[in-house]
Amino acid sequence: MCTMRTWPHLESSAISLPPLISFPNLSNLYGTNKEIQRRRTTPYGSFSVTLQPLPPPPPPLTFTATFSSMADTHSRFPFDFIFFGRSADAERDCLDRSFTEIVIVRHGETEWNAEKRIQGHLDIDLNDVGRQQAVAVAERLSGESKISAIYSSDLKRALETAETIASRCGGLQVIQDPNLRERHLGDLQGIVYGAAPTVKTKAYEALQSRGRDVEIPGGGESLNQLYKRCTDSLQTIGSKHRGERVVVVTHGGVIRALHQRASSGKGHRAGRILNVSVNVLHLSDPDKWVIKSWGDVSHLDGAAYLDSGFGGDRTSG
């Protein structure tokens, strides 16, 4: 129902009008090319409103209202009308339904990040700095366009970051997806990166290999295996949430693989993936990925973070 309200101050105080004048049956203004007219008559005058359909997605509705006075001694005074329609926030939250906006966030810092210790699938908590970073990115996202869903790796460092975001963005339930986990790094997991060449030589050589089908000894994944599972997961999320804005919290190695998919053939480099950096992709049919922004950590101006971005470079972790 569309509702119109008279301006609170009239030049004449000799009469008063009902504060609300309602025009029923105007809720379906789209999908028709018919012009809709409504006229309302009161003891003080007649009001007519003409509405013309707007193509989707709907911007704020625009109405033109006119007042035709009746012949009486108190009929000459101006009227202004205010239409209470779509708010600025609603307009901000309206995305093009041809794509899904996916905000990809790396988890906050852990003690193993700070020690440059390789994590992989090992389940390490955020440290105090990481929790501070999670709050900072959550505050940022809560002030931006509406988030429809939040997905996360099921590893604690990502999940806690995602839950912090969810608590400040409408209390959404975090959807856990194991396919968003970091790359499994086999025998390297738990090793300080600097010691890996001598402690786990074969695993380290596999990690450094340019071959995309090289698996890391000890049950580790190849780059192709990582790429397949995480890009398939993101494509599924994108297809499910057309026209919506979604947050995905994951890991450095995964984010690099997603960047590779989005920039395929363009020669762009992902660079270092810092903790709680924000990276925005638009996914549309048929399987088109577009990078809208990358590596934004402006929300960390007041928070400590690792400049090295360990775990977010080619070595993963």
Side-chain angles (χ1 to χ4, degrees), residues 9-309:
H9 301 291
L10 302 178
E11 290 185 0
S12 171
S13 60
I15 64 169
S16 62
L17 290 178
L20 295 178
I21 299 175
S22 299
F23 297 86
N25 303 321
L26 300 181
S27 59
N28 183 17
L29 302 177
Y30 300 93
T32 176
N33 58 9
K34 294 182 179 180
E35 187 176 273
I36 303 173
Q37 293 184 330
R38 289 290 183 271
R39 187 176 185 83
R40 178 71 178 266
T41 301
T42 75
Y44 312 105
S46 61
F47 298 80
S48 63
V49 176
T50 300
L51 297 88
Q52 294 185 350
L54 301 173
L61 300 176
T62 301
F63 287 75
T64 302
T66 60
F67 173 79
S68 301
S69 62
M70 291 183 176
D72 62 56
T73 56
H74 302 292
S75 63
R76 294 186 179 181
F77 46 84
F79 286 85
D80 290 324
F81 295 89
I82 301 172
F83 175 70
F84 294 87
R86 290 167 56 89
S87 67
D89 287 341
E91 179 65 11
R92 177 197 66 181
D93 295 339
C94 183
L95 283 179
D96 186 334
R97 292 194 174 275
S98 67
F99 66 83
T100 307
E101 182 166 283
I102 302 185
V103 181
I104 303 168
V105 179
R106 188 186 174 202
H107 63 80
E109 182 187 297
T110 68
E111 282 304 315
W112 282 26
N113 286 149
E115 296 171 0
K116 300 188 183 299
R117 190 177 295 275
I118 298 172
Q119 297 173 118
H121 278 202
L122 298 183
D123 208 3
I124 311 303
D125 289 313
L126 296 179
N127 62 13
D128 289 341
V129 170
R131 295 185 180 96
Q132 182 184 6
Q133 292 170 339
V135 170
V137 73
E139 291 295 335
R140 169 189 172 154
L141 295 176
S142 69
E144 297 179 353
S145 298
K146 177 184 176 182
I147 295 169
S148 299
I150 299 177
Y151 290 79
S152 174
S153 157
D154 60 345
L155 296 177
K156 288 186 290 188
R157 56 192 184 272
L159 186 56
E160 184 178 350
T161 305
E163 288 173 342
T164 302
I165 294 170
S167 70
R168 286 164 171 78
C169 295
L172 293 169
Q173 181 176 359
V174 176
I175 303 167
Q176 298 182 43
D177 184 353
N179 286 323
L180 295 172
R181 283 186 176 192
E182 181 59 281
R183 181 183 180 187
H184 194 303
L185 293 169
D187 288 341
L188 292 173
Q189 297 182 161
I191 303 297
V192 174
Y193 183 76
T198 55
V199 175
K200 296 291 181 180
T201 303
K202 290 184 178 180
Y204 179 79
E205 289 173 350
L207 179 66
Q208 296 299 318
S209 171
R210 297 287 179 176
R212 297 196 58 81
D213 59 350
V214 176
E215 297 180 10
I216 299 176
E221 292 177 287
S222 70
L223 289 171
N224 281 342
Q225 289 169 332
L226 169 67
Y227 180 92
K228 179 71 165 59
R229 69 168 166 86
C230 69
T231 57
D232 284 355
S233 174
L234 202 73
Q235 186 63 55
T236 298
I237 292 169
S239 299
K240 183 177 180 180
H241 293 280
R242 284 287 180 262
E244 297 176 346
R245 190 170 192 251
V246 176
V247 169
V248 169
V249 183
T250 183
H251 307 264
V254 170
I255 296 173
R256 292 186 66 81
L258 299 178
H259 181 277
Q260 181 188 356
R261 168 65 180 82
S263 62
S264 180
K266 299 181 179 66
H268 301 309
R269 293 182 178 274
R272 287 173 174 165
I273 312 298
L274 296 175
N275 292 110
V276 298
S277 58
V278 171
N279 313 277
V280 180
L281 300 182
H282 284 182
L283 273 61
S284 58
D285 292 326
D287 299 345
K288 181 180 179 182
W289 294 28
V290 176
I291 298 173
K292 302 305 291 184
S293 65
W294 196 258
D296 186 355
V297 289
S298 58
H299 47 285
L300 291 182
D301 288 346
Y305 66 94
L306 290 175
D307 289 330
S308 69

